[in-house]
Amino acid sequence: MSKPSPSSTDSDASRKGSLATLKGLLPFLRPYRRQFVLAGIALLFAAASTLAIPAAFKKMIDLGFGASSAGQSIEHVDATFLALFGLAAMLALATAARFFTVSWLGERVTADIRSAVYRHVVQQSPEFFETTRTGEVLSRLTTDTTLIQTVVGTSISLALRNTLLFAGGLVMLFITSPKLTSIILGLLVLVVLPIVLFGRRVRKLSRDSQDRIADASALAGEILNAMPTVQAFTHEQREAARFGGTVEEAFRTAIRRVRARAFLTMLAILLVFGAIVFVLWLGAHAVLQGSMTGGDLGQFILYAAIVAGSIGALAEVMGDAQRAAGATERLLELLGARSDIQDPLHPKALPPRTANGARLSLQDLSFSYPSRPESAALSHLSLDIRAGETVAVVGPSGAGKTTLFQLLLRFYDPQAGSIRLDGVDIRDLALHTLRGAIGIVPQDTVIFSANALENIRYGRPDASDEEVFAAARMAAAHEFIERLPEGYASFLGERGVRLSGGQRQRIAIARALLKNPPLLLLDEATSALDAESERLVQRALEAAMLGRTTIIIAHRLATVQRADRIVVLDEGRIVEAGSHAELVALGGVYAKLAALQFQPHTPAAA
């Protein structure tokens, strides 16, 4: 699978992230052609108004103050200033229209990019999240998209405006004095080359700076999600120091970028304005010699200032564009990630649901995780589960129990063999169809930052309040929820911090029961419950298993004794199968596990 390399730096980043990368934004810009046209019209009016101002000044100087003005000076001055006011009014209106339009475009395109990246990321398989840190993704969704917003909402407009001013000003410079303009252009060619070369270093430092910020975000997200553990081990100061070190590294990288960009700006202004001052010195001599009028020189000075200012602005915009190019590259890496787990081109439908649930068939399954291809998590595993049957899967840690659930949910595809749900290969089913037919209670319960009602309703968003209450009662969660300060409307805190482990588990069970799937997967569903809660939930689960097929993973064998069948996994293979009594009598792996859990421990002899 193609994946982004989150902290990829340096050699690759220096080769990529060029301004050509910004072409990747075109699919997000195309839907708003009309707004771009309106912004372009406003931009043309604003640039034309700006370019007309020096010509008005020339007329004011030559006709208002020149020797040929005779007695018409007042009239010419009044007319010129009236024209200048008209130009200023048109410039103000056009600039306001341009600012609003391009700002709207920046906000709109940035929102579209954030939504597209997030929508794409949440569809990735677990393999993607094994190699990509959550903080890295969040950094790209926030910091990187903000840089793109700057480019789309400001820099593109400034670049076009100053390009028009540069081109228009250059034409007017040639009209005013071809000789002086030719000299100034020759000098500009000499000064632009070092500016372009140094700009490449700014681009590389911009990408490095974004990588360091992403590292800091990733570390902060990881630690904040593990605060109870950090505090239990009294590592607050250590983690604060680690984050401080990461922030300082990001700061040092940013300062290197700022220093390089400041030097680039200084270099551009110094060389460009130095060349212009030299040419203006030549122009002053031309006026003294009578080959130019004062108005011509004034007009030339203003157009030269416009051209020089536009070059300086373009150099600054180039710095923003180079930073945005690095940000765009990182976002395109995320959008370019493709999961191996895809919907089939022609998905099949499941047969109508029966009263007993789903029939499941595992045929010669073999699977190795992509990160550990040499180690088989499952090896030639075959198992048929009848509709309505409850099967417990037990075995030592690392035997392949959780892997089996991941394959059933098609988080991964096996390298060999197949899984059939009601006779249909799950690879022929749309992912939503497959996963919609499966309910799961994971070992690590996920509680969202919402109230109790919405946390349970996550199992079936269209469920009524009464259906949510019924599911909570089945999961023995109704009573403790009712005792919360606001009952079902109580906010449960981020990751359910306001609940005990057993309460979180019962919320997860209620969520799965509300979904009412034909196949129910219970991964250590009672692992976090005390004896009383476990008794209540076991009774609820027994009722919930009616009418559906259930597969239970459990290390605590007391929770699986009443299963229709117990399957023992060891090193990815089925080594035993039968009832609790049959497996104990067999004296194999299950009997050893049962002996460890059920036989009383006697103290060692002194």
Side-chain angles (χ1 to χ4, degrees):
M1 180 177 69
S2 169
K3 297 181 287 294
S5 47
S7 297
S8 65
T9 48
D10 307 333
S11 59
D12 288 342
S14 63
R15 289 193 297 269
K16 298 186 286 185
S18 67
L19 295 183
T21 308
L22 293 174
K23 292 180 180 177
L25 297 178
L26 288 177
F28 298 99
L29 301 178
R30 287 194 190 100
Y32 307 110
R33 296 185 186 91
R34 186 169 67 89
Q35 285 81 358
F36 274 105
V37 170
L38 292 175
I41 293 172
L43 191 62
L44 285 172
F45 274 98
S49 302
T50 303
L51 290 170
I53 289 173
F57 269 97
K58 167 185 163 54
K59 288 188 174 297
M60 183 186 70
I61 293 171
D62 286 344
L63 300 178
F65 304 111
S68 62
S69 59
Q72 303 176 11
S73 298
I74 295 298
E75 290 80 1
H76 283 305
V77 168
D78 290 346
T80 300
F81 275 95
L82 188 61
L84 280 173
F85 178 78
L87 288 173
M90 187 168 72
L91 178 62
L93 289 172
T95 302
R98 174 186 63 83
F99 173 79
F100 175 81
T101 308
V102 298
S103 297
W104 185 92
L105 281 167
E107 297 288 349
R108 180 68 267 166
V109 169
T110 302
D112 290 348
I113 291 173
R114 284 185 177 136
S115 296
V117 172
Y118 188 79
R119 189 184 310 112
H120 185 74
V121 167
V122 297
Q123 292 174 350
Q124 297 305 302
S125 68
E127 184 185 352
F128 173 87
F129 297 99
E130 288 179 5
T131 55
T132 306
R133 293 175 297 179
T134 304
E136 173 78 13
V137 175
L138 293 176
S139 172
R140 298 187 188 194
L141 282 171
T142 53
T143 308
D144 289 354
T145 51
T146 300
L147 288 174
I148 292 173
Q149 179 182 349
T150 301
V151 168
V152 176
T154 304
S155 298
I156 289 179
S157 171
L158 289 177
L160 292 174
R161 175 179 179 271
N162 285 286
T163 299
L164 287 173
L165 291 179
F166 174 79
L170 203 58
V171 170
M172 293 306 297
L173 283 175
F174 267 110
I175 293 173
T176 307
S177 175
K179 177 183 175 181
L180 293 182
T181 305
S182 299
I183 295 172
I184 202 171
L185 283 180
L187 292 172
L188 284 177
V189 170
L190 295 176
V191 302
V192 163
L193 184 60
I195 293 173
V196 171
L197 292 176
F198 199 77
R200 294 180 180 177
R201 173 169 170 77
V202 175
R203 173 170 56 82
K204 179 182 181 301
L205 289 173
S206 297
R207 173 65 190 252
D208 291 346
S209 177
Q210 289 307 110
D211 282 339
R212 299 293 80 76
I213 292 171
D215 289 342
S217 297
L219 179 62
E222 178 183 356
I223 298 306
L224 290 176
N225 285 330
M227 280 311 299
T229 302
V230 172
Q231 292 175 349
F233 283 89
T234 66
H235 282 181
E236 297 93 334
Q237 296 302 320
R238 178 174 177 272
E239 296 300 343
R242 280 181 65 202
F243 181 73
T246 309
V247 169
E248 284 302 312
E249 179 61 28
F251 171 76
R252 287 191 291 269
T253 306
I255 290 301
R256 287 197 294 272
R257 172 183 57 79
V258 171
R259 186 185 298 117
R261 187 169 174 185
F263 182 79
L264 177 63
T265 303
M266 181 196 72
L267 185 68
I269 292 174
L270 183 63
L271 294 178
V272 171
F273 275 90
I276 290 173
V277 168
F278 172 71
V279 173
L280 292 181
W281 176 75
L282 295 177
H285 279 269
V287 172
L288 293 175
Q289 293 167 3
S291 58
M292 286 184 74
T293 67
D296 285 336
L297 181 59
Q299 177 173 294
F300 190 88
I301 290 172
L302 288 175
Y303 281 125
I306 288 173
V307 170
S310 64
I311 292 174
L314 284 171
E316 190 163 336
V317 167
M318 187 68 70
D320 287 336
Q322 285 165 341
R323 292 185 69 197
T328 301
E329 179 188 348
R330 290 151 53 88
L331 288 167
L332 291 179
E333 284 176 350
L334 276 183
L335 287 172
R338 288 291 178 267
S339 172
D340 291 335
I341 308 300
Q342 298 287 341
D343 282 332
L345 290 177
H346 304 289
K348 295 181 179 179
L350 284 171
R353 180 175 176 176
T354 65
N356 292 328
R359 178 167 48 88
L360 193 64
S361 176
L362 316 178
Q363 299 174 354
D364 200 30
L365 282 186
S366 291
F367 173 73
S368 297
Y369 285 99
S371 57
R372 305 184 296 277
E374 72 288 344
S375 175
L378 294 176
S379 181
H380 301 287
L381 186 148
S382 296
L383 178 65
D384 286 315
I385 300 175
R386 301 184 304 275
E389 187 178 12
T390 297
V391 174
V393 180
V394 301
S397 295
K401 303 184 296 296
T402 300
T403 299
L404 178 61
F405 276 19
Q406 291 182 319
L407 293 181
L408 291 175
L409 287 161
R410 210 178 163 222
F411 290 157
Y412 299 92
D413 280 336
Q415 282 84 29
S418 65
I419 301 172
R420 293 183 174 274
L421 185 66
D422 282 335
V424 181
D425 191 317
I426 63 172
R427 284 172 291 200
D428 294 330
L429 295 171
L431 291 173
H432 279 203
T433 301
L434 169 66
R435 294 168 185 170
I438 301 174
I440 184 167
V441 180
Q443 184 175 0
D444 297 322
T445 303
V446 175
I447 299 295
F448 298 98
S449 296
N451 60 35
L453 188 73
E454 295 307 318
N455 260 285
I456 297 175
R457 208 198 305 269
Y458 198 82
R460 184 156 55 88
D462 60 349
S464 67
D465 289 356
E466 287 304 320
E467 289 173 317
V468 172
F469 301 154
R473 290 188 183 94
M474 291 179 67
H478 180 74
E479 290 186 5
F480 84 77
I481 293 175
E482 287 282 88
R483 291 196 298 269
L484 294 174
E486 297 177 58
Y488 279 86
S490 298
F491 177 68
L492 303 183
E494 188 173 1
R495 301 172 67 88
V497 294
R498 297 184 179 183
L499 301 178
S500 68
Q503 289 172 334
R504 288 196 296 270
Q505 198 77 9
R506 281 179 274 172
I507 291 284
I509 293 170
R511 185 186 296 159
L513 296 178
L514 180 66
K515 187 177 181 180
N516 191 28
L519 176 61
L520 182 64
L521 308 180
L522 306 177
D523 188 356
E524 298 286 354
T526 60
S527 62
L529 304 182
D530 55 38
E532 177 61 21
S533 296
E534 182 177 2
R535 183 182 62 81
L536 292 171
V537 172
Q538 284 288 359
R539 191 165 59 194
L541 288 176
E542 287 173 10
M545 290 172 192
L546 296 174
R548 60 174 54 87
T549 305
T550 307
I551 304 177
I552 305 171
I553 289 178
H555 286 293
R556 293 163 62 174
L557 302 185
T559 64
V560 303
Q561 292 183 51
R562 289 189 292 275
D564 298 320
R565 189 166 28 137
I566 300 172
V567 173
V568 184
L569 287 184
D570 192 16
E571 296 183 353
R573 297 174 180 270
I574 295 178
V575 294
E576 297 170 3
S579 66
H580 170 73
E582 290 170 344
L583 294 177
V584 169
L586 191 62
V589 175
Y590 183 87
K592 292 177 182 177
L593 294 173
L596 290 173
Q597 293 194 26
F598 296 135
Q599 290 182 1
H601 295 284
T602 56

